[in-house]
Amino acid sequence: MALVISGLPRGVAALLLLLFLVCCVVVAMRAFKLSPCLVKSASNPVDVRRFYSLTSTTMALPFWVWAMGNTIQDGAFDLGILSFFTVMVGTAIFVATGGRRGFLTVVVGSAFVSVNYLLGLIVLPMRRDVPWTLLFYFAVAAGVWAAVGAVGMSVHRRDAPTVQYTPVETEDEQ
């Protein structure tokens, strides 16, 4: 990352921000009495998909701004602009429509963010000036966003309308 904050090695400030945001999400989950898999309890009917979408965007927004800053400062396009933006657009669509398509866009966007970090782990080691702290941050962030995507997919599948199969009896079975 091109943006260096207060002389910290590259990746450290972003890692600290990521850990802070994850802690904030955990605190919010406890406040709303949600389990780590975002299971809605009978005593607290929180809209789990809305919570997931809004917290995903809360995590994506500062890193989207950071990616914009990297692009402006370096002159090289940071793919984080698109990946984090996908999460935010999905949330906007979901909040506006309440539809499954918007929610699924958030889930896919989370996977896109994770893949973007994995690409960084593949490409950046080819350069000599990349500190291990940046690679460590990329590895942690890829894992966090993969987990965010996995939880979202779990919620998406659980909240999907179920179709019951009713076998048709044939004449031989009657």
Side-chain angles (χ1 to χ4, degrees), residues 12 15 25 42 48 55 58 69 78 88 103 118 120 136 144 162:
V12 173
L15 181 61
V25 169
V48 174
T55 54
T58 301
D78 185 329
M88 295 185 298
F103 182 77
L118 290 173
F136 180 73
V144 166
T162 56

Side-chain angles (χ1 to χ4, degrees), residues 34-140:
L34 295 170
S35 73
C37 293
L38 293 179
V39 176
K40 186 175 7 179
S41 68
S43 64
N44 190 8
V46 172
D47 183 345
V48 174
R49 293 185 312 157
R50 182 176 292 261
F51 178 86
Y52 171 85
S53 297
L54 292 173
T55 54
S56 296
T57 288
T58 301
M59 289 180 59
L61 180 61
F63 293 103
W64 178 75
V65 171
W66 202 316
M68 294 286 283
N70 286 342
T71 299
I72 292 167
Q73 188 175 33
D74 291 350
F77 183 73
D78 185 329
L79 190 57
I81 291 172
L82 292 179
S83 62
F84 292 118
F85 191 68
T86 304
V87 173
M88 295 185 298
V89 166
T91 297
I93 292 169
F94 175 72
V95 169
T97 66
R100 294 171 47 82
R101 193 172 289 154
F103 182 77
L104 194 55
T105 303
V106 178
V107 174
V108 170
S110 299
F112 183 19
V113 171
S114 183
V115 167
N116 183 25
Y117 279 115
L118 290 173
L119 286 172
L121 280 172
I122 294 167
V123 173
L124 284 182
M126 295 176 195
R127 295 175 46 193
R128 292 186 180 163
D129 63 338
V130 178
W132 70 269
T133 52
L134 183 60
L135 297 175
F136 180 73
Y137 159 65
F138 278 16
V140 171

